Amino acid sequence: MSELPTPTEGLAWILWIWLMIHCIRQGGLVQSIRQHSYLLHLTLGTIVGLAALWRLRAGIYEGLELHFVALTVTTLIFGWRNAILVGSAALLILTLLGVEQWQQAGAIALLGVATPVLLSFGILTLSHNTLPRNLWIYIFIDGFLNGILCFVARTLLLAAWYSSQYDWTLIRDNYLILMPLFFFPEAMLNGFSTTLLVVHKPHWLATWREEQYLK
C-alpha cells in the first residue's frame, strides 16, 4: 500500500489543483485551441517535449536530481497561466510513469513549475516596462538571462523542500554544487529556442509583439 502524503504534501496538492482550475478558467487555452488548430499540436508537442526533457536527469539521491527546465521559453510561448498548465501536464505524465513520487507532485508543481513560470513572466514584464522594447532585449534578457534565473530559483526552492528529507550538507555536495554546470546549457536552450521562434514562428509566441519589438 502506498504511503499517504503528509499534511504539507496534501496542502500542496490542494493548492496545485486550485491553481490549475484557475488557469483553465482564465488562461483560455481551450478556446484558443478551437480558434487555431496549430495550437493543439504545439501544446501537445510541448507537453511531451518537457516530459522527455525532465526525464533526462543527473543525480544520485531520489529528488536531488538536476535536469534542464525550459520553462522560460514555455512561458514566452503560452503566457504564464497556460505555461503552468502545460508544465503541470508534463509533471503529471512523469508522476503516472513513476518518475516522480505522487505524494510530492503537488509541492514539485508549485515550487518546480508554477514558481519558475511566474518568475519568468515577472522578469518579462519588468524588462518590458523598464528596458527598451526591441528584439535583443526580448532574446537576451527575456530568453537567455531569464532562463538562468528561472533555473536557479527552481533549484534553490526544491533544495529547501528536500532539506526536510536530507541533510543540508548532502544537498549542497550532491545537488547545489552541480547547479553552475547547467547555467550555460539552460540559457542556450531557452535563448536559442526563443530566437528560432522569433525568426520562423513568431505567431507561436503569445508574449511577442512585432509592432513593439521591431518597429
Side-chain angles (χ1 to χ4, degrees), residues 147-212:
I148 295 177
L149 296 177
C150 169
F151 178 83
V152 171
R154 182 184 190 275
T155 304
L156 293 177
L157 286 171
L158 290 179
W161 170 258
Y162 286 114
S163 64
S164 62
Q165 304 175 36
Y166 297 102
D167 182 76
W168 184 252
T169 302
L170 186 147
I171 294 175
R172 182 194 63 196
D173 295 340
N174 295 274
Y175 187 59
L176 297 180
I177 196 173
L178 300 175
M179 188 168 57
L181 299 177
F182 285 77
F183 287 174
F184 186 74
E186 182 70 28
M188 295 299 102
L189 175 62
N190 289 278
F192 282 147
S193 299
T194 302
T195 303
L196 290 174
L197 289 172
V198 168
V199 173
H200 297 288
K201 297 289 184 180
H203 60 286
W204 285 11
L205 292 163
T207 58
W208 170 260
R209 296 292 181 271
E210 184 175 337
E211 63 276 9
Q212 294 181 3

Side-chain angles (χ1 to χ4, degrees), residues 16-58:
W16 182 26
I17 293 172
W18 174 85
L19 181 60
M20 286 194 292
I21 292 174
H22 168 78
C23 291
I24 290 172
R25 289 179 174 177
Q26 302 296 325
L29 183 60
V30 176
Q31 293 83 347
S32 298
I33 290 175
R34 290 174 180 174
Q35 296 174 2
H36 308 285
S37 58
Y38 75 87
L39 194 55
L40 176 61
H41 302 286
L42 177 61
T43 302
L44 294 178
T46 305
I47 291 172
V48 173
L50 287 178
L53 187 67
W54 296 353
R55 182 64 184 87
L56 301 174
R57 49 185 65 187

Side-chain angles (χ1 to χ4, degrees), residues 74-88:
T74 303
T75 305
L76 298 181
I77 293 174
F78 293 98
W80 72 268
R81 292 183 180 88
N82 294 333
I84 290 176
L85 290 177
V86 169
S88 295

Side-chain angles (χ1 to χ4, degrees), residues 5-23 84 88 92 102-110 114 161:
T6 65
T8 303
E9 293 169 344
L11 177 60
W13 261 99
I14 294 173
L15 293 175
W16 182 26
I17 293 172
W18 174 85
L19 181 60
M20 286 194 292
I21 292 174
H22 168 78
C23 291
I84 290 176
S88 295
L92 280 175
W102 74 269
Q103 298 93 333
Q104 301 195 29
I108 296 174
L110 294 177
W161 170 258

